[in-house]
Amino acid sequence: TDGGTIPRDMTLSMVPVDEDATAQARILIKGGKVVNADHSFYADVYIEDGTVRQVGKDLITPGGAKVLDAKGMLVIPGGIDTHTHMQMPFMGTVAVDDFYKGTRAALAGGTTMIIDHCLPQKGEGLMDAYEKWRGWADPKVCCDYSLHVGVTWWGDGVPDDITTLCQEKGVNSFKMFMAYKGLFMLTDDELYKSYSVIKENGALAMMHAENGDIIEENTKKMASLGITGPEGHLQSRPEDVEAEATTRSICIANQVNCPLYIVHVMSRSAADAIRKARSEGKVVFGEPIAASLGTDGTHYFCKNWRHAAGHVMGPPLRPDPTTPGYLMDLLANGDLQLTGTDNCTFNADQKALGKDDFSKIPNGVNGVEDRMSVIWEKGVISGKMDANRFVAVTSTNAAKIFNMYPRKGVIQVGSDADIVIWDPEATRVISKDTHHQAVDFNIFEGMECHGVPVITISQGRIVWEDGELHVTQGAGRFIPRPLHAPEAYNKILIRDKVNQPIKVEREPYDGPIWTPDGPK
Ligand code: URP
Ligand code: ZN
Ligand code: ZN
Ligand code: ZN
């Protein structure tokens, strides 16, 4: 059934129900260990019509239910990838993982929901872009999805569109850029205004934090030195350029007490900036990605151009080899909260647009399929986090911060049946030759990972089993997300009260005032 497409003129409920589908409507997962973010327990899980109906010991098998033996397995909430760019038009080309191939690969890796980015062109209405992205995604997605919308320019209509998206379209997160000068970059005053409108609506601001002015000057410097290869990408965007923007974006958001989410945390110093802000009580969240947790920036110096270019993304991976471990430490102890991938993939011929000029190499790497295994390997197998924290950073915290909890991110009665049966002992070796993504390269090539999703259940249907996909194009749903996520706004509202500007009531000054002709 892989790749089955729902004809355009049919709604999901009109799709003919085959026997396989009927059996799939009822599933009993028996004998596994349910792992939620707060605790683990041995229980059976009964699913019907896409929803978890019962969780308990020794459940009776209802008639017609398919029974899955999960002895020795962990039963975990499906992963939520907070950061993808499927089929995104970018840097003169289009990301090769589209909403079909990308979500299909996600499911093979144990991720049952993605939050993608709708990024308007300069001057394009945010609502128009939103409708365009829905038009691209809805017919293709194999798993549930949602959209962050980019505030990629500032001007008439933008504040109204933000409000409409919040009030009517189920968007509660908006992404801004401090980099990509001339394309997406906003100035500090525009950021201030964006944060204000986002805060007024009860939404979350997200930031690509890199100083775009400095990157532009550094890029010219690299060119003047004759450095045209991928190592120039790294050297034009050093770590402090990321850290500075991270600190500045936190500062600006704090002026209007807007909750802030830093996407793709790539460096020790950017992570430290987030940690410091959180220790001061600011409402800031940090998202390291599979790439920054699983590999490093030494590859930019590789002699093989395609290999080096395959790692080009912004902000770059860091050449300090202690970086991935450090980010994992912070993720494990709570200073960083959740993980995405920034999956934005380009084939060799697309990367080659920058073969003589690194600034033209389309930025982006893979991750949507491998994130769960990479984090299990580098986080759990390494002894840095337990299985509960793994669930927290791969799904639960995403569901809370983006306000989909407890529909997503937990296995409990009433939750969506997005579930993974996870074999904690099995191993697999990551490779472009076996992955399900459309791209011809994998930044984790050759990595052996313990922790394998043996079965993935999406909306109560088995979509990945025994190494085979059984997906349906367009079966994924757009998940609207309500405003005022408690995870952010409970504290924001308290801070609004205690941080009211102070006005001093005093007698007016009634003495002389300076004039050119003397005091009057
Ligand atoms: O290199 C990256 N990160 N590509 C995707 C666009 C973005 O900046 O998130
Ligand atoms: Zn970005
Ligand atoms: Zn390398
Ligand atoms: Zn991104």
Side-chain angles (χ1 to χ4, degrees), residues 83 85 88 90 117 119 175 177 180 184 208 263-264 312-315 342 344 346 362-365:
H83 188 157
H85 301 273
M88 183 167 84
F90 191 45
H117 286 77
L119 297 182
K175 165 96 172 272
F177 292 84
Y180 302 119
F184 295 148
H208 175 129
V263 304
H264 48 42
V312 166
M313 66 161 294
D342 202 6
C344 186
F346 301 100
N363 284 203
V365 297

Side-chain angles (χ1 to χ4, degrees), residues 152-417:
T152 46
W153 60 284
W154 190 256
D156 286 350
V158 174
D160 285 349
D161 273 2
I162 292 175
T163 302
T164 308
L165 287 161
C166 285
Q167 306 298 331
E168 296 173 19
K169 300 293 178 188
V171 175
N172 73 9
S173 49
F174 293 86
K175 165 96 172 272
M176 276 80 62
F177 292 84
M178 298 166 98
Y180 302 119
K181 193 172 176 184
L183 180 65
F184 295 148
M185 182 174 130
L186 296 190
T187 55
D188 288 357
D189 58 322
E190 291 170 334
L191 290 176
Y192 188 106
K193 291 171 194 156
S194 310
Y195 286 145
S196 302
V197 178
I198 291 165
K199 161 73 184 299
E200 276 164 28
N201 277 289
L204 177 67
M206 303 170 73
M207 185 56 68
H208 175 129
E210 278 186 296
N211 186 317
D213 285 318
I214 295 181
I215 291 169
E216 184 169 90
E217 295 309 313
N218 278 344
T219 302
K220 290 181 207 157
K221 184 169 84 182
M222 291 297 140
S224 73
L225 294 171
I227 299 174
T228 59
E231 70 281 9
H233 172 79
L234 169 70
Q235 293 173 93
S236 65
R237 309 170 91 120
E239 180 158 337
D240 52 352
V241 169
E242 183 188 356
E244 181 277 328
T246 304
T247 302
R248 181 158 44 98
S249 68
I250 294 169
C251 163
I252 301 171
N254 195 49
Q255 304 311 307
V256 296
N257 195 25
C258 179
L260 180 63
Y261 178 106
I262 307 292
V263 304
H264 48 42
V265 178
M266 302 303 287
S267 64
R268 295 176 67 113
S269 47
D272 284 342
I274 295 165
R275 170 159 61 174
K276 177 169 176 291
R278 287 176 62 84
S279 74
E280 293 162 354
K282 293 171 182 138
V283 181
V284 185
F285 305 105
E287 172 209 74
I289 59 174
S292 60
L293 294 163
T295 185
D296 63 47
T298 54
H299 300 280
Y300 296 123
F301 297 99
C302 182
K303 293 270 190 197
N304 178 318
W305 186 89
R306 196 277 173 266
H307 180 83
H311 292 80
V312 166
M313 66 161 294
L317 292 154
R318 300 302 170 189
D320 171 357
T322 67
T323 303
Y326 185 75
L327 295 177
M328 188 60 84
D329 290 340
L330 267 55
L331 184 65
N333 74 20
D335 286 326
L336 299 171
Q337 292 70 47
L338 73 175
T339 56
T341 61
D342 202 6
N343 194 91
C344 186
T345 48
F346 301 100
N347 279 337
D349 59 336
Q350 297 173 297
K351 289 278 182 183
L353 289 168
K355 74 180 180 53
D356 301 319
D357 175 357
F358 65 81
S359 71
K360 296 195 167 57
I361 300 172
N363 284 203
V365 297
N366 63 289
V368 74
E369 181 167 354
D370 299 320
R371 177 183 66 120
M372 301 287 277
S373 289
V374 167
I375 294 171
W376 185 268
E377 181 68 24
K378 304 283 183 185
V380 180
I381 298 293
S382 70
K384 295 189 177 198
M385 61 173 72
D386 62 16
N388 303 99
R389 182 68 190 163
F390 172 78
V391 167
V393 303
T394 54
S395 69
T396 314
N397 290 353
K400 289 182 176 174
I401 289 168
F402 292 107
N403 217 9
M404 304 177 285
Y405 187 89
R407 177 176 182 181
K408 304 283 188 193
V410 63
I411 298 176
Q412 67 180 35
V413 172
S415 296
D416 279 0

